[in-house]
Amino acid sequence: MTLKDWFETRKEEQHAARPIDPKIDDYIGKLWVKCFNCNAQLPRKELEHHMMVCPECGYHFRINARTRIRQLFDEGTFQEYFENIAPSDPLDFVDTESYTERQQKAKEKTNLNDAVVTGTGKVEGEEIACAIMDFEYMGGSMGSVVGEKVTRIMELAIEKRLPVVTITASGGARMQESALSLMQMAKTSCAVARLNDEKILYINILTDPTYGGVTASFGTIGDIIIAEQGARIGFAGRRVIEQTIRQKLPADFQTAEYLMKHGQLDMICKRSELKETLAKILRLHKH
Amino acid sequence: MKLDFEKPITKIEEKIEELKKMSEESGMDLSKEIEVFEQQSHEYKKELYENLKPSQKLQIARHPNRPNFIDYIHLITTDFVEMHGDREGTDDRAIIGGVAKIGDTPVMLVGTVKGKSTKENLVYNFGMPQPEGYRKALRLFEHANRFGLPIVTLIDTPGAYPGIKAEEHGQGIAIAVNLKEMAKLEVPVIAVITGEGCSGGALGLAVANKVLVLEHAYYTVISPEGCASILWRDASKAAEAAEALKITGPDLLKYNIIDGIVKEPLGGAHYDYEAMGDELKKEILKALNEYKNKTPQELKKDRYNKFRRMGVFNS
């Protein structure tokens, strides 16, 4: 490694080192926001104008499903489906808090019934069926509701002959539903198998963070996989791996850039280029 | 190796041995008394093993002497021919597979292997597959599909391996692709959880028409230890987590996660390999027979519908 390469790698690693638990848009400053990465003080308005990307260092703030929809779809074209599907508590699960209490709190925080919003809408005029996950709702975890809504939007896409796009942000399966949530991995993947049979284009957009049960099911079996710049993506969590192998992991481990280097992604996109890129891909598959 | 909760049995058994010895040495006829004790011991055992807590079943499922996939190959099949490798540079030993006969039926048999010693576990990686293992499994499934061979998978894994190489090579994607491609198979698929059925690592071989679980095996989205350390922030709460996660056969049956429970010999599979093998073979043949006359399309649809129905929600 030449000295220049070394500096280059070091810069990359520093750039890639992200705070472990950055908060999501509604829960950072109302007027001024401090960048999690470069500590720059930014007026909230300016940050919003830059699609919640730090204009100083390019750090992509995590955003919730509603913001994502506003950014991605042509104005007024998004039509939500299946919004009334809501979670129950089949196992009467209680840890330090009951599952129903956690649902209640998450609902108050996000104004959502569960961790995914599904619907149809237009991207530069191209109509798609889409599932957008919300990390703010119980860490974007996948339980029965997420599994059902993702499956239904794919079934709707088959009916309407629309391409499908999923935008994931998830810590993985929802433990409070145990094996039922595990089965959502199978259910959603079976639905993707149908998309394949029907030759319907299926695109994954992976955002920060996408882990566990979502990475190991519908989240990564698209015909094209796009990751948002700087997103962390993996199967096992960093801590679990560190404990298993008893080694420190490289700072850029599991970043989109790292996975790209290992051939796991088709491309990395800046948030500002996402809409344009998606529309281009959609048009190229229409003939 | 006896487990903690089995200690009372050991005591009764020691008593019986004592009596037998006494009877031999003194020439007294104690056979009646011994018989009574043995009867009692049997009933006590039955009672004990039928009412195990999830955390106790967990100990049986993880028992170091529990039969592993290699044992089952010998116990339930004949003419096993192993098929190695993913054709992309690796032969993951945590997943083994090949063609074999169960009874008179040729099948594709694939399973995860846990070693019984440290030396074996270095080879089998404690039954934790790398992405390459899942890709090998998929190659074998597709082979089976081409030649109309029913697929039988036996699963006993603490999960897919969490490591640097595993992430670099797409552990999540490898499992996801298996889930999707298994949905397309046009041959019967029977999956049996024989010990630990942990998370996506287990599911990656279990998108089946019929999913069976051995009596003391468990099937869960996350290990009770992992769950405890995340939700309780305390790994020592694993017993509570095991309870809350509802991971044992009867609960799984109640939520339609599985289709049946395979009975184990009293005390667990490790007490009687032959009996366990016979029972498992019987149940697999029964399941294969059920799907014998289904068309390829029916089989695929049956599997899709089974998983389509899973989940509990309000609408």
Side-chain angles (χ1 to χ4, degrees):
Chain A
M1 190 188 277
T2 66
L3 201 59
K4 199 177 150 220
D5 286 343
W6 183 80
F7 270 110
E8 213 41 58
T9 336
R10 201 177 73 127
K11 209 173 83 191
E12 258 176 49
E13 279 179 12
Q14 279 172 349
H15 181 72
R18 297 266 180 265
I20 298 303
D21 257 326
K23 292 194 168 59
I24 304 177
D25 49 13
D26 290 349
Y27 295 90
I28 54 183
K30 291 260 182 287
L31 286 174
W32 287 86
V33 179
K34 192 168 139 186
C35 175
F36 291 113
N37 186 48
C38 71
N39 291 334
Q41 285 290 347
L42 310 160
R44 167 105 198 180
K45 276 252 147 60
E46 193 190 337
L47 187 61
E48 275 173 13
H49 179 72
H50 285 95
M51 307 180 91
M52 304 300 284
V53 176
C54 175
E56 303 290 326
C57 70
Y59 170 69
H60 284 51
F61 283 76
R62 289 178 179 178
I63 57 175
N64 64 27
R66 300 286 174 203
T67 308
R68 176 71 66 182
I69 289 166
R70 260 198 314 277
Q71 289 183 357
L72 192 67
F73 289 94
D74 302 343
E75 212 184 322
T77 62
F78 187 77
Q79 189 193 347
E80 187 169 352
Y81 280 87
F82 318 122
E83 67 267 40
N84 293 327
I85 300 178
S88 64
D89 182 13
L91 307 186
D92 293 318
F93 197 98
V94 181
D95 49 272
T96 54
E97 219 178 315
S98 77
Y99 181 29
T100 37
E101 273 166 12
R102 285 184 194 270
Q103 289 169 7
Q104 200 57 42
K105 279 188 186 166
K107 190 175 177 168
E108 279 163 24
K109 205 163 145 190
T110 58
N111 205 16
L112 294 174
N113 273 333
D114 210 307
V116 74
V117 177
T118 47
T120 61
K122 286 182 178 167
V123 177
E124 290 189 4
E126 302 299 322
E127 193 167 16
I128 57 169
C130 193
I132 306 106
M133 297 193 80
D134 196 308
F135 191 72
E136 198 65 29
Y137 191 103
M138 291 187 75
S141 54
M142 170 160 69
S144 297
V145 174
V146 172
E148 182 68 19
K149 286 175 82 173
V150 168
T151 304
R152 285 204 196 178
I153 199 70
M154 288 174 181
E155 288 167 348
L156 184 84
I158 291 173
E159 202 181 295
K160 293 183 173 249
R161 305 298 306 172
L162 293 176
V164 181
V165 177
T166 61
I167 305 174
T168 52
S170 171
R174 187 167 300 165
M175 286 171 282
Q176 289 86 348
E177 292 186 25
S178 193
L180 283 168
S181 69
L182 183 67
M183 293 306 128
Q184 303 312 308
M185 293 168 60
K187 180 161 101 182
T188 52
S189 303
C190 287
V192 178
R194 285 226 161 151
L195 296 180
N196 289 176
D197 286 348
E198 298 281 339
K199 295 193 167 46
I200 282 181
L201 179 66
Y202 176 40
I203 298 172
N204 296 132
I205 300 174
L206 309 178
T207 74
D208 191 54
T210 298
Y211 274 88
V214 170
T215 303
S217 68
F218 75 91
T220 59
I221 37 180
D223 301 298
I224 292 175
I225 308 180
I226 305 171
E228 198 169 63
Q229 182 177 303
R232 294 243 181 221
I233 299 148
F235 174 66
R238 201 180 164 88
R239 206 157 43 107
V240 174
I241 297 173
E242 268 174 349
Q243 280 165 1
T244 308
I245 63 171
R246 295 175 199 286
Q247 279 175 46
K248 272 243 143 312
L249 297 168
D252 65 341
F253 187 62
Q254 293 184 327
T255 56
E257 292 72 12
Y258 186 88
L259 290 180
M260 179 86 167
K261 216 158 48 188
H262 290 280
Q264 303 300 326
L265 307 170
D266 285 288
M267 68 195 83
I268 295 172
C269 242
K270 287 185 183 142
R271 192 171 288 160
S272 56
E273 293 166 355
L274 199 55
K275 183 170 182 168
E276 184 192 326
T277 309
L278 188 59
K280 203 190 311 177
I281 294 169
L282 290 168
R283 280 193 287 268
L284 283 167
H285 286 81
K286 223 166 69 170
H287 55 85
Chain B
M1 194 191 90
K2 290 277 182 198
L3 301 165
D4 282 350
F5 58 85
E6 292 180 310
K7 293 246 161 82
I9 300 175
T10 321
K11 278 206 183 123
I12 298 172
E13 280 174 347
E14 275 169 11
K15 276 266 148 50
I16 294 172
E17 280 308 303
E18 248 173 60
L19 275 180
K20 278 186 183 164
K21 219 169 157 193
M22 215 163 84
S23 139
E24 249 172 57
E25 280 168 3
S26 65
M28 263 194 299
D29 182 17
L30 295 172
S31 57
K32 274 239 162 68
E33 284 80 357
I34 293 172
E35 204 178 302
V36 171
F37 267 110
E38 276 178 340
Q39 182 63 27
Q40 276 178 353
S41 152
H42 182 78
E43 264 161 33
Y44 180 81
K45 277 194 214 168
K46 239 181 110 180
E47 169 102 18
L48 175 78
Y49 290 120
E50 273 171 11
N51 295 298
L52 291 175
K53 291 196 198 108
S55 59
Q56 294 169 327
K57 284 201 174 209
L58 210 65
Q59 285 175 276
I60 297 181
R62 293 169 176 172
H63 198 286
N65 298 338
R66 196 168 172 83
N68 67 8
F69 184 56
I70 309 281
D71 295 318
Y72 285 121
I73 293 174
H74 294 299
L75 288 167
I76 68 170
T77 75
T78 49
D79 299 341
F80 178 72
V81 178
E82 188 176 349
M83 295 165 71
H84 291 263
D86 66 350
R87 298 292 187 273
E88 291 172 44
T90 308
D91 182 29
D92 186 5
R93 302 307 293 154
I95 291 181
I96 283 180
V99 280
K101 253 166 52 177
I102 299 180
D104 293 327
T105 316
V107 300
M108 175 62 77
L109 184 72
V110 177
T112 58
V113 195
K114 278 207 278 190
K116 291 184 181 170
S117 60
T118 315
K119 204 173 142 198
E120 277 185 16
N121 269 321
L122 285 177
V123 177
Y124 300 123
N125 198 29
F126 302 86
M128 294 190 278
Q130 306 277 355
E132 290 78 1
Y134 293 101
R135 292 183 179 126
K136 170 165 82 174
L138 182 57
R139 182 176 77 82
L140 302 194
F141 295 156
E142 283 170 347
H143 176 96
N145 201 41
R146 217 155 32 241
F147 297 102
L149 294 165
I151 295 165
V152 177
T153 63
L154 302 186
I155 298 153
D156 182 9
T157 176
Y161 187 68
I164 295 182
K165 275 268 169 318
E167 295 290 324
E168 287 174 355
H169 294 182
Q171 186 71 282
I173 298 181
I175 291 171
V177 167
N178 272 23
L179 305 184
K180 176 171 74 106
E181 295 305 319
M182 285 186 88
K184 297 178 188 169
L185 296 170
E186 295 181 341
V187 292
V189 184
I190 315 293
V192 188
I193 315 286
T194 60
E196 299 186 86
C198 232
S199 185
L203 186 65
L205 302 178
V207 181
N209 295 82
K210 200 169 264 293
V211 181
L212 305 174
V213 162
L214 297 200
E215 190 182 348
H216 298 302
Y218 72 94
Y219 198 11
T220 179
V221 68
I222 184 171
S223 74
E225 290 79 6
C227 179
S229 76
I230 297 172
L231 290 183
W232 278 263
R233 300 195 178 279
D234 180 359
S236 70
K237 293 274 195 286
E240 272 113 307
E243 198 89 38
L245 285 167
K246 307 234 176 7
I247 58 179
T248 61
D251 276 326
L252 296 166
L253 210 50
K254 184 174 145 197
Y255 294 105
N256 294 319
I257 307 288
I258 60 166
D259 304 292
I261 299 169
V262 182
K263 258 195 109 38
E264 293 189 27
L266 196 60
H270 59 286
Y271 280 102
D272 192 342
Y273 275 34
E274 296 291 329
M276 184 71 254
D278 290 346
E279 184 67 19
L280 180 59
K281 185 173 163 184
K282 194 185 88 194
E283 290 294 330
I284 291 173
L285 285 173
K286 206 170 98 190
L288 286 174
N289 201 36
E290 242 176 83
Y291 293 103
K292 210 169 59 188
N293 297 321
K294 296 242 192 271
T295 66
Q297 282 310 313
E298 280 170 345
L299 288 165
K300 188 174 160 186
K301 205 166 164 196
D302 171 81
R303 201 175 316 113
Y304 183 86
N305 290 340
K306 172 191 170 70
F307 287 97
R308 180 65 189 85
R309 281 192 295 267
M310 286 193 186
V312 180
F313 51 84
N314 297 320
S315 62

